[in-house]
Amino acid sequence: MPPLAKPTPTDSGSQPMQKTFTDIPLTRPHTPLLDRIGAPADLRRLPETDLEQMVDELRAYLLYAVGRAGGHFGAGLGVVELTVALHYLFDTPHDRLVWDVGHQCYPHKILTGRRDEILTVRQQHGLSGFPKRTESEFDTFGVGHSSTSISAALGMALGAEQAGDKRRTVAVIGDGAMTAGQAFEAMSHAAHTRANLLVILNDNTMSIGHNVGGLANYFARIWSSKTYIALREGGKKVLSAMPAAWDFVRRTEESMKNMVSPDMLFEAIGFNYIGPIDGHDIDELTATLETMRDLEGPQLLHVYTTKGKGFGPAEADPVGYHAINKIEPKAKVEVAKPAKPKSPKYQEVFGQWLCDLAKQDPRLIGITPAMCEGSGMVDFARRFPERYHDVAICEQHSLTLAGGMACEGRKPVVAIYSTFLQRAYDQLIHDVALQNLDVTFGIDRAGLVGEDGATHGGVFDLAYLRTVPNMIVAAPSDENECRQLLYTAWLHDGPAAVRYPRGTGPGAKIEDTMTALPVGESRTLRQGKGDAALLAFGALVPAALEAAEKLDATVIDMRWVKPLDRAAVLDAAARHDLVVTLEDHQRMGGAGSAVNELLIDEGVVVPVLNLGLPDHFIHHGKRDALLAEHGLDAAGIEASVRRRLKRLHDALPHRA
């Protein structure tokens, strides 16, 4: 948690503002220039000499806003200068600006008419934490997953070209996102089409190696200069008739670039590569971008930035300050409260299980696509580095890699978010399940994820997992069950998935001993005398138990979505007037659908109520509030069951 701040001293603008903050402002900073910006057109009316002050004011306001609202933090601080430069030099929204992933979009939102609304970011009915097309015309493409920006921007550029529109298109992509195959697929196609596309590689030094210094900056300025570009293109025309001479000039240029540029890969693909330049030097940024704005064909500008720039603690710990919670003011009088034992997060349960099992079995391999911290694998990576593989943002590769390891007798465990597993669905089928390879999936962030919203919601996994032959799928209801089901899945000879939610569970005691649970077997938690049986899957079991106390209903913790506990479902149908399925997942195709299919196959006719999420995307807000809104808290479950029972009872006299 960042320190509570003392108000940041500012002045009327006659003196430069503080550029590096050590505290997050608790009161709104003085931002006279920023207050004049209602849209980027206002920004473009400023003289270039004001841009430095604009950068400082924007960074100060961003710190204040995120402190008030919480949200993504370090990425936005790192692109303040770049955001100002892009909106200053390009005619947005006519010119298209596409942000990759979108964690860095807060400065963009502030400059595009949402300065006051940014205080509602990630709150229910407030601004999204990511670019969102329905929110603003300046948000040209909705994102949340990585590595899509170049593909989307290329599509826009080609679409504009076909329509005869001269608009410019810019994609901003990070060095981490650049590791994904889709980015290079898009670049290859862009080179083939020769589209007018500018790709900005925002390199925060967390993936791609350094090659900076005076000489590098000097040559970057040369290569982006109009004089050099004119000479280069003119030389091509003149020397193309003399192959030997042109070959000598070309090889000389390449040799010079090789000495000072990080990589010639982009040139080999077909992009004109410029850089690296300092992404926090607003003068250099504007000068370079002004030249590149009018260049034809695919261009790539490589900028170095610092994640968390301008806030000292974030610069020192960019991972820890990726996002922060809302800063609450300290109470004037603090009353001592007895400390409550802190429940572990599900990701921590997974991480501890992984370490415990790794000590027992040397065959275990841990794999994650760039989610070490988020998936709880930090301790495993430290203790078992030779058995830990972070493959970067390459979800498809992570699954096929695991399949290859399984072919050699290893026991790979893939830790992956539910929403990111969607990106590797083909590999799940073709490279793992089709060959019945022994791969275990720890699927984190299943169900609603709260403030991250629809792009990160894990509400489709049951539907796409249970249709795949050879897969078994478990949904634990508490922390200990998660540990034991992970162990059960790992022992299973074939592909197995355990899906668990974000955050903490109900606080169940976690047994140190790992015990295999019977595959496809549920447990009855409450035997009621009422008319309803609640078949609960995963995270909704606690809410089901609470509702059942009011209904005197039976509650079954189903544990397994595939295979279903056939005997338990049929027994519940035989003993009760109403079978209710509960899941933190889309109703369509989910666990409830599986129960329906089983009953139909068995020829059992019984009223069934499927409770789950509706057929529309659910946007950001507190997880508990969103569940309540969709009738999946205890009160909502009770109300839905009572309504259905009333309908059934009202219809009884009319039955034949």
Side-chain angles (χ1 to χ4, degrees):
M1 172 63 71
L4 297 181
K6 300 178 286 293
T8 303
T10 60
D11 57 28
S12 63
S14 59
Q15 299 291 327
M17 296 179 64
Q18 178 182 344
K19 291 188 177 183
T20 300
F21 296 78
T22 57
D23 300 308
I24 295 176
L26 294 182
T27 58
R28 193 189 189 288
H30 184 57
T31 55
L33 280 183
L34 182 63
D35 295 347
R36 291 160 50 186
I37 307 303
D42 300 323
L43 177 68
R44 292 191 281 271
R45 282 191 281 268
L46 296 178
E48 283 193 39
T49 52
D50 284 350
L51 294 186
E52 190 71 49
Q53 182 181 338
M54 175 58 65
V55 164
D56 292 339
E57 291 186 12
L58 180 56
R59 183 166 277 118
Y61 185 79
L62 176 61
L63 285 165
Y64 162 74
V66 178
R68 283 278 304 273
H72 300 116
F73 191 69
L77 288 171
V79 297
V80 168
E81 289 86 356
L82 180 61
T83 306
V84 169
L86 286 169
H87 281 297
Y88 187 74
L89 289 167
F90 288 85
D91 184 21
T92 56
H94 177 75
D95 290 337
R96 306 304 197 209
L97 180 56
V98 184
W99 298 96
D100 209 286
V101 186
H103 292 130
Q104 73 276 52
C105 74
Y106 292 19
H108 159 80
K109 293 197 175 197
I110 293 169
L111 291 177
T112 53
R114 291 167 280 181
R115 182 181 61 246
D116 297 333
E117 290 178 276
I118 201 70
L119 298 175
T120 70
V121 70
R122 296 168 56 111
Q123 299 169 25
Q124 195 167 5
H125 310 305
L127 291 186
S128 169
F130 304 94
K132 188 176 180 182
R133 282 176 55 83
T134 56
E135 190 176 289
S136 170
E137 62 179 333
F138 291 92
D139 293 358
T140 60
F141 198 76
V143 292
H145 292 187
S146 82
S147 315
T148 62
S149 61
I150 304 177
S151 296
L154 176 60
M156 295 175 187
L158 293 175
E161 181 183 324
Q162 189 174 33
D165 198 317
K166 296 297 185 181
R167 73 172 86 241
R168 312 300 296 186
T169 308
V170 183
V172 183
I173 186 168
D175 53 322
M178 188 62 88
T179 62
Q182 184 178 354
F184 285 92
E185 291 171 11
M187 292 186 72
S188 178
H189 187 213
H192 173 72
T193 62
R194 303 304 300 166
N196 292 330
L197 172 67
L198 172 59
V199 174
I200 297 177
L201 173 56
N202 174 32
D203 184 352
N204 60 26
T205 73
M206 299 183 74
S207 290
I208 297 176
H210 290 270
N211 190 5
V212 294
L215 189 62
N217 290 335
Y218 172 71
F219 275 103
R221 287 194 293 272
I222 289 178
W223 293 330
S224 66
S225 69
K226 293 179 180 179
T227 302
Y228 170 78
I229 292 165
L231 287 170
R232 184 181 190 230
E233 297 305 312
K236 280 184 183 179
K237 295 176 183 178
V238 174
L239 295 174
S240 58
M242 298 178 284
W246 171 241
D247 185 63
F248 172 77
V249 172
R250 180 183 55 79
R251 284 188 284 110
T252 301
E253 179 190 46
E254 289 181 357
S255 296
M256 291 178 65
K257 282 192 171 184
N258 270 319
M259 290 192 301
V260 294
S261 65
D263 204 325
M264 288 299 294
L265 174 63
F266 302 116
E267 290 273 0
I269 291 174
F271 274 67
N272 178 43
Y273 173 91
I274 304 295
I277 67 171
D278 183 355
H280 301 299
D281 186 332
I282 188 66
D283 295 331
E284 187 167 22
L285 272 174
T286 53
T288 305
L289 284 169
E290 187 173 19
T291 298
M292 299 188 73
R293 180 181 58 189
D294 301 319
L295 299 181
E296 299 293 316
Q299 310 291 324
L300 187 139
L301 173 62
H302 185 175
V303 301
Y304 277 111
T305 61
T306 299
K307 194 171 182 179
K309 178 69 175 179
F311 183 60
E315 291 185 30
D317 182 16
V319 175
Y321 282 89
H322 172 69
I324 63 170
N325 295 322
K326 175 182 178 181
I327 299 175
E328 302 289 352
K330 290 184 178 179
K332 292 183 178 179
V333 180
E334 296 188 0
V335 180
K337 297 180 180 178
K340 294 175 64 177
K342 186 180 179 183
S343 297
K345 296 179 179 179
Y346 277 102
Q347 67 197 56
E348 295 167 345
V349 174
F350 168 83
Q352 186 61 56
W353 166 80
L354 197 66
C355 289
D356 292 346
L357 193 54
K359 287 190 298 184
Q360 297 183 16
D361 198 319
R363 297 176 300 162
L364 184 145
I365 306 290
I367 301 170
T368 182
M371 286 287 111
C372 180
E373 291 82 8
S375 294
M377 296 182 75
V378 173
D379 195 35
F380 177 83
R382 179 184 60 82
R383 294 171 60 186
F384 306 96
E386 73 285 353
R387 288 192 274 162
Y388 168 72
H389 297 274
D390 186 340
V391 301
I393 305 174
C394 303
E395 295 89 354
Q396 296 171 318
H397 169 59
S398 71
L399 266 67
T400 307
L401 174 72
M405 288 181 173
C407 290
E408 297 301 320
R410 300 298 90 190
K411 294 273 288 184
V413 178
V414 179
I416 191 168
Y417 290 9
S418 173
T419 186
F420 299 148
L421 182 57
Q422 295 164 187
R423 314 185 97 194
Y425 190 50
D426 178 63
Q427 286 70 26
L428 175 73
I429 296 173
H430 183 270
D431 299 338
V432 177
L434 180 62
Q435 305 174 83
N436 200 29
L437 294 176
D438 194 1
V439 179
T440 302
F441 298 91
I443 303 176
D444 199 350
R445 273 55 169 187
L448 293 177
V449 295
E451 291 88 344
D452 278 342
T455 59
H456 285 59
V459 299
F460 308 108
D461 50 14
L462 296 182
Y464 68 70
L465 286 171
R466 74 180 190 85
T467 62
V468 180
N470 294 330
M471 285 290 304
I472 64 171
V473 185
S477 63
D478 61 43
E479 299 90 337
N480 184 58
E481 197 168 80
C482 183
R483 178 177 173 87
Q484 309 308 335
L485 285 173
L486 282 166
Y487 182 61
T488 305
W490 189 81
L491 290 178
H492 176 74
D493 186 13
V498 180
R499 55 107 63 179
Y500 41 91
R502 179 182 187 179
T504 58
K509 183 179 184 299
I510 301 174
E511 301 292 337
D512 292 334
T513 302
M514 289 180 280
T515 305
L517 303 176
V519 175
E521 187 173 304
S522 65
R523 59 171 179 161
T524 299
L525 299 179
R526 188 183 192 281
Q527 191 64 59
K529 298 178 181 179
D531 296 327
L534 309 185
L535 279 55
F537 295 83
L540 294 189
V541 167
L545 281 169
E546 187 178 341
E549 290 296 323
K550 304 283 185 66
L551 298 163
D552 195 14
T554 295
V555 178
I556 303 173
D557 174 9
M558 292 300 295
R559 285 184 170 168
W560 296 92
V561 178
K562 183 182 182 182
L564 279 174
D565 189 337
R566 175 180 174 276
V569 173
L570 296 179
D571 184 68
R575 291 172 177 267
H576 299 84
D577 293 339
L578 177 65
V579 173
V580 183
T581 66
L582 298 164
E583 61 192 302
D584 183 11
H585 185 276
Q586 288 265 348
R587 285 197 301 268
M588 296 179 66
S593 294
V595 171
N596 298 343
E597 292 162 11
L598 187 154
L599 293 171
I600 291 170
D601 287 345
E602 296 291 335
V604 175
V605 180
V606 63
V608 179
L609 173 62
N610 297 135
L611 296 181
L613 297 169
D615 183 28
H616 62 76
F617 291 106
I618 297 173
H619 299 288
H620 49 282
K622 294 288 185 184
R623 173 180 162 87
D624 289 346
L626 294 174
L627 288 172
E629 182 180 317
H630 293 90
L632 295 178
D633 61 345
I637 294 167
E638 180 193 351
S640 295
V641 173
R642 289 193 185 280
R643 283 195 298 270
R644 182 59 60 88
L645 286 173
K646 184 178 185 303
R647 285 170 53 189
L648 290 174
H649 294 159
D650 290 347
L652 279 173
H654 307 290
R655 290 182 179 176

